[in-house]
Amino acid sequence: MGKILGEVTIRANGKQLKTKQGATLNPGGNTFTRHTGAGRSWGASKQFTVPSIAVVIAADEDVSVIEIGKITDATLTWEGDNGMDFMMTGVAQQAPFTLSDSGDITGTFEGDEVVEV
């Protein structure tokens, strides 16, 4: 029987982030758009979509939303408890991370490329 992904460890430049459950990885690739008219499809165009990792980070006393925002040109690793490991290079925040009174820091990192390691 296979081992299904249950937990993931995310590191930025080798330092583990205090992530909570709910991280998602998008390996990037092409997004296709169908062009239609007169009751038929005329074809599709494609546009590259950058890879991303969305995270929820515990807002612990030693975790700074400002310092997280300073992560640039980094390497993020996604280490799954089922052996599925990925590395994303050229990483920076997609938009400023947010801090909520629920104890969460949320946001998305984008990068140049995701490879399986």
Side-chain angles (χ1 to χ4, degrees):
M1 187 180 304
K3 187 168 182 184
I4 307 300
L5 180 66
E7 289 185 350
V8 68
T9 301
I10 298 176
R11 299 179 196 281
N13 290 334
K15 182 180 177 187
Q16 184 173 350
L17 300 177
K18 292 185 176 184
T19 55
K20 298 169 74 172
Q21 185 125 12
T24 58
L25 178 134
N26 172 350
N30 293 316
T31 299
F32 291 88
T33 302
R34 288 277 169 196
H35 299 275
T36 61
R40 61 177 290 182
S41 173
W42 297 110
S45 61
K46 67 180 180 178
Q47 182 175 3
F48 181 72
T49 301
V50 299
S52 62
I53 298 177
V55 295
V56 179
I57 300 171
D60 200 352
E61 62 187 353
D62 64 343
V63 179
S64 168
V65 68
I66 294 171
E67 291 303 312
I68 292 168
K70 292 179 182 178
I71 296 173
T72 58
D73 198 26
T75 298
L76 253 61
T77 56
W78 165 290
E79 302 166 5
D81 66 350
N82 65 346
M84 295 180 68
D85 298 338
F86 300 92
M87 178 177 65
M88 185 166 65
T89 57
V91 174
Q93 64 182 358
Q94 178 185 57
F97 276 59
T98 59
L99 170 63
S100 72
D101 62 1
S102 66
D104 293 338
I105 297 171
T106 57
T108 301
F109 291 106
E110 289 185 333
D112 295 331
E113 177 183 31
V114 168
V115 295
E116 199 163 357
V117 292

